[in-house]
Amino acid sequence: MVNDRGNIKWTSLMMPEHIEMLNNIWDEQDRKQKPIIDEQQQEEINLKLQMAVKNDLTVELKYFSNHDYYNAKGKIASIDRQNKYIKVAGQYLPIESIIDVWID
């Protein structure tokens, strides 16, 4: 088996600008795209959110922000339909960024 050290072998020959450029390229490759939520999925998310608010249930939200997926868990403190934000566990999340909802 070959012991390949990747870029470690060549780093001493690279200029700092080249290293920065390579890091930017790798970061761009790791970026994720926001999934497209159809009307049926959006309606299902809205129903779960309404049920959680009405019955004071704990929810786990999966949302998309800054080219990555995150989870937030807690009780819904408020839903601001006018500004399209939801407050969960001290975080304000845009309603459009919510991908999925699970009720505990």
Side-chain angles (χ1 to χ4, degrees):
M1 181 186 273
V2 176
N3 186 9
D4 185 20
R5 296 178 292 170
N7 281 340
I8 295 172
K9 182 177 181 180
W10 304 106
T11 304
S12 63
L13 301 175
M14 290 185 192
M15 295 177 67
E17 294 86 12
H18 293 148
I19 295 171
E20 182 180 340
M21 198 180 320
L22 281 174
N23 288 335
N24 289 339
I25 290 171
W26 291 329
D27 288 342
E28 286 181 20
Q29 288 177 349
D30 290 340
R31 286 186 173 186
K32 297 176 179 109
Q33 295 292 324
K34 182 179 178 184
I36 298 172
I37 305 293
D38 64 4
E39 289 181 32
Q40 184 178 1
Q41 290 171 323
Q42 188 64 44
E43 190 64 33
E44 185 178 329
I45 289 170
N46 288 336
L47 287 173
K48 288 179 182 179
L49 291 174
Q50 289 174 4
M51 183 171 38
V53 169
K54 183 177 180 182
N55 298 324
D56 197 33
L57 300 172
T58 302
V59 295
E60 184 174 350
L61 301 173
K62 181 178 181 181
Y63 64 98
F64 184 82
S65 178
N66 298 327
H67 302 287
D68 205 1
Y69 301 106
Y70 299 96
N71 289 335
K73 187 172 184 177
K75 293 192 178 194
I76 298 174
S78 64
I79 297 177
D80 186 357
R81 298 250 182 225
Q82 184 177 4
N83 296 325
K84 298 183 179 180
Y85 275 89
I86 184 170
K87 184 177 181 183
V88 176
Q91 296 178 340
Y92 287 96
L93 305 173
I95 292 177
E96 304 91 40
S97 69
I98 297 173
I99 298 169
D100 205 355
V101 178
W102 297 279
I103 297 177
D104 291 339

